[in-house]
Structures are given as C-alpha cells and as structure tokens.
Amino acid sequence: MSHEPVTVIGLGPMGRAMAGVLLRGGHPVTVWNRTPARADGLVEAGATRAATPAEAVSASPLTILSLTDYEAMYQILGRDPDFLTGRDLVNLSSDTPDASRAAATWAAGHGAHFVTGGVMVPPPVVGRPGAYVYYSGPGEILAAHEPALRLIGDPRHLGADPGLAQLFYQAQLNVFLTTLSGLLHSTAMVTAAGVPAADFLLDAMKMLTDVPAMVGSGAELAARIAAGHHPGDLSTVLMMGATAEHVLRTSEKAGIDRELPAAVRSHYDRAVAAGHGTDGWTALYEVIKA
C-alpha cells in the first residue's frame, strides 16, 4: 500500500515528534521550520527539507501545522497565499475556538480545506498507545487522511464546527494547568515550614491518581451536572468550604501566594450564598457556569 506524502510545518518538540512518527510509518514527509536547523535530524532520517512554506505545502496533499498559535500560521503562509488552493490543512497549534473558526474561514477563502485539532499527549507519547487527538471541521477531510493522522494518535472527531477541537483542548488543558498549579502551591505550603519537598510529593502524586476513585467516574459526574442534582451525603459545600478557608489561612500564614486558594474559596462562598450549602461539591458548577 502506498503512503500519501505529508508536510509538517513547525518543528518544535511536538512537530518533530509527529514528523518522526509519520516517517517511521512509511510516509514521505516534507518539513519546514523558521529555524532550519531544527529539521536536521528529520532530514537525516529521510525527510525532505523545503526551502519555503509554499514549497512545503505544494509538496503534499496534507499539511500539518504545529505552531505557537494561529497568528504564526498567517505569518508563515502569508496573508494571500495562492498555493493553498486544493490543499488540506490540519492545524494542530494551540489557540482559542474563535481563532480556529476565523482560520477556517480564511483557509476556505483561499481554496483550502481546513481541519483544527489538539494533540492531547506530550511529544514523547505521540504515536504510542493511549495517544489521542481532538479534531473538528469537515469529517470527509479527516476521513481522507485518517491512516496518516491515526499514526499520531487516535482521531476523535467532535463535529463540523471548527472551534470544537480547540474548545475541548483548552478545557482539558485547564484541568491540567490548574492541577499543576495546585500541586506546586501545596508543595510551597509544606516547604515554607522547612519540610523537604520530597517528604510531601510522593503522597501528593498518589492523591492525583486517587481522585477518580474518590469523586466518581466521568459518567457519574456528567449525570449529576446534567440533572442539576448534587447529593451531599458524603460531604457538603459547607464542609468543603471550611477546608478551603483553612487552606487559604494556612497559605497566608506561610507567606506564600494566596491567589489560587482564594479563588477556590470564592467558589464555595458563592455556592453557599446561592443556597447550595448542604449540596455536594458538584454544586460549584452552578456558580462557575454563570
């Protein structure tokens, strides 16, 4: 079976990982990067280095973009690129849902087909079991290139709206980023007392993996949120809000940053004020969504 040519523009860690997976999968790969030296290893492995973005896009029916943001796409491809006509662009860069929608309109205006996406694993996991990628946009374009894209990770098509992939991507990263901030803030609480970070972090990391068993599966949480039913049989907003207050006071006493625990406490305060004091913690959704 022949493998379609694929172009990868943007060779940061993620772009290099994707290009490498495609090469190992047997695809002819053309690469371009604003810093040409980043392509050296891929060229040694068999990729073709394009001299210009226009040459790179013209080399393949499918071009994958892995850039800092969508503005970088405009800067690299140009504001009026006639070489995009008939090409399929899959932008796996990070940006907002509205930026994705605007880019899809821009691409269509230049005769290109545009799919947005978000790779939901770090570069070392690209192409490995468990890797997956959110996509949105024309399903037929995704289907046409599915064999190549599947090498990167399991493709999950969310629908025709070009903004959906970035919406899911940013929402997932919100979980990730706030978790990392919480982990570091908690470590600072302990080290402020002169305790080595190593004495805390082993149990803290286990706490992260234990959370699903403590709060329930995604299906269970989704059912409660959809029904607006927030049982407080195990713990209530009032109880957990008291803990949030204690975390804030401990942080202030330790002299460390208070912004994160203050934000968390505000959720509980507002939930109590809205009449959810005896409900479970998922009642915070009712004030957060507003």
Side-chain angles (χ1 to χ4, degrees):
M1 182 181 68
S2 62
H3 295 77
E4 71 167 342
V6 181
T7 289
V8 178
I9 291 179
L11 300 176
M14 183 62 74
R16 292 198 300 272
M18 292 190 293
V21 164
L22 290 165
L23 275 172
R24 291 190 293 275
H27 289 268
V29 175
T30 298
V31 293
W32 184 89
N33 193 73
R34 282 186 280 197
T35 304
R38 286 190 177 178
D40 289 351
L42 292 165
V43 172
E44 291 174 4
T48 299
R49 190 198 316 261
T52 65
E55 181 182 316
V57 172
S58 300
S60 310
L62 169 65
T63 293
I64 296 174
L65 298 142
S66 180
L67 305 167
T68 303
D69 53 25
Y70 276 42
E71 179 59 31
M73 177 187 71
Y74 299 127
Q75 293 172 2
I76 290 169
L77 299 184
R79 295 290 177 173
D80 191 22
D82 55 8
F83 57 85
L84 293 181
T85 301
R87 303 295 171 175
D88 296 343
L89 305 180
V90 174
N91 196 329
L92 299 181
S93 312
S94 174
D95 216 307
T96 66
D98 282 348
S100 298
R101 297 182 181 106
T105 300
W106 173 85
H110 295 290
H113 308 111
F114 193 80
V115 173
T116 64
V119 183
M120 299 311 306
V121 294
V125 187
V126 167
R128 296 188 177 184
Y132 66 101
V133 184
Y134 288 130
Y135 293 99
S136 60
E140 63 274 16
I141 302 302
L142 182 63
H145 303 294
E146 192 269 348
L149 296 175
R150 183 168 290 280
L151 291 175
I152 298 170
D154 178 44
R156 302 187 182 179
H157 186 229
L158 301 173
D161 176 358
L164 286 177
Q166 280 300 310
L167 177 62
F168 273 59
Y169 179 76
Q170 302 303 343
Q172 289 275 30
L173 286 183
N174 184 37
V175 175
F176 180 63
L177 294 177
T178 52
T179 299
L180 295 186
S181 289
L183 184 66
L184 294 178
H185 184 275
S186 299
T187 303
M189 291 172 66
V190 172
T191 58
V195 179
D199 289 357
F200 168 73
L201 280 170
L202 292 179
D203 285 340
M205 296 302 289
K206 186 175 184 301
M207 168 73 80
L208 297 182
T209 60
D210 288 345
V211 167
M214 291 187 283
V215 304
S217 71
E220 292 171 320
L221 295 179
R224 291 182 208 165
I225 289 170
H229 177 58
H230 310 288
D233 48 331
L234 295 179
S235 62
T236 66
V237 168
L238 279 168
M239 292 167 55
M240 295 180 70
T243 299
E245 171 66 19
H246 300 156
V247 172
L248 176 59
R249 284 161 48 191
T250 301
S251 300
E252 291 174 335
K253 181 67 175 179
I256 66 173
D257 187 84
R258 69 184 300 277
E259 294 301 320
L260 182 60
V264 173
R265 188 196 65 175
S266 77
H267 290 158
Y268 287 93
D269 288 347
R270 284 181 282 142
V272 170
H276 296 291
T278 59
D279 290 339
W281 69 275
T282 52
L284 270 60
Y285 173 78
E286 305 299 340
V287 297
I288 291 172
K289 71 177 182 179

